[in-house]
Amino acid sequence: MVEQHITSAFDRDLEAVQAQIMKMGGLVETAIRDSAHALETRDEEQALSVRANDKAIDALEEIINSEAARVIALRAPTAVDLRVILSVIKIAANLERIGDYAKNIGKRTVVLSQGGHLTTESGAALRRMAREVERMLKDALDAYIQRDVELAKDVIERDTDVDQMYNAMFREFLTHMMEDARNITPCMHLHFIAKNIERMGDHVTAIAEQVVYVVSGEKPAEDRVKADTTSIKPQEA
């Protein structure tokens, strides 16, 4: 009876911390969507809101890490249960980084709206790329809750599409910069934004890999080959 009580308490702890992960994931999905919309529409107020809301994402990561540490210390989980707790910590870290990239997009959006040049085509292309990452994140979180390895692997494969979108935009921005020196500053901002979104996709992929880890106890057999073929590796933040 005591053992059953402990098991039930542990299950409740797991459900609680995973519920926090889903809450954090929802905030991050919103941050991706709002940052891309603010960029396309040059909405400074929305861009500033994304930056402000990042504090809530950071706070949730701290809560999740604290709760996960408490569960490990109190329940001493093993095997699958331990993998679940460890995955929670890693997923929270990846979500926090995605939130940081959304915040960075908000920062650059304000700069672009005040003096930069943003073509309709560039804003729409970046928003499409962000929308794909947002869909990938939703599917990765669904895969985690449902322990759906096939859906997780599908998310991992789809990151190649994001890389290819980034490659195309990189070439486009480079062309604009070569055509007119006045395009250099705004195109550099746009390139950093595109790179931020591409890095979001990498962190979503890492979340999907945690699904495989939780279910099988192993990471995907081979490192994923990146489709980012650009030679310049800028600072993302």
Side-chain angles (χ1 to χ4, degrees), residues 54 57-58 95-105 196 200:
D54 187 60
I57 294 172
D58 292 343
L95 288 173
E96 189 275 336
R97 287 302 295 145
I98 296 171
D100 282 348
Y101 287 126
K103 179 179 68 174
N104 291 339
I105 292 171
N196 285 163
M200 286 180 183

Side-chain angles (χ1 to χ4, degrees), residues 10 66-77 82 85:
F10 180 68
S66 177
E67 183 62 19
R70 186 191 70 81
V71 172
I72 291 174
L74 186 63
R75 307 298 182 191
L82 179 59
I85 291 297

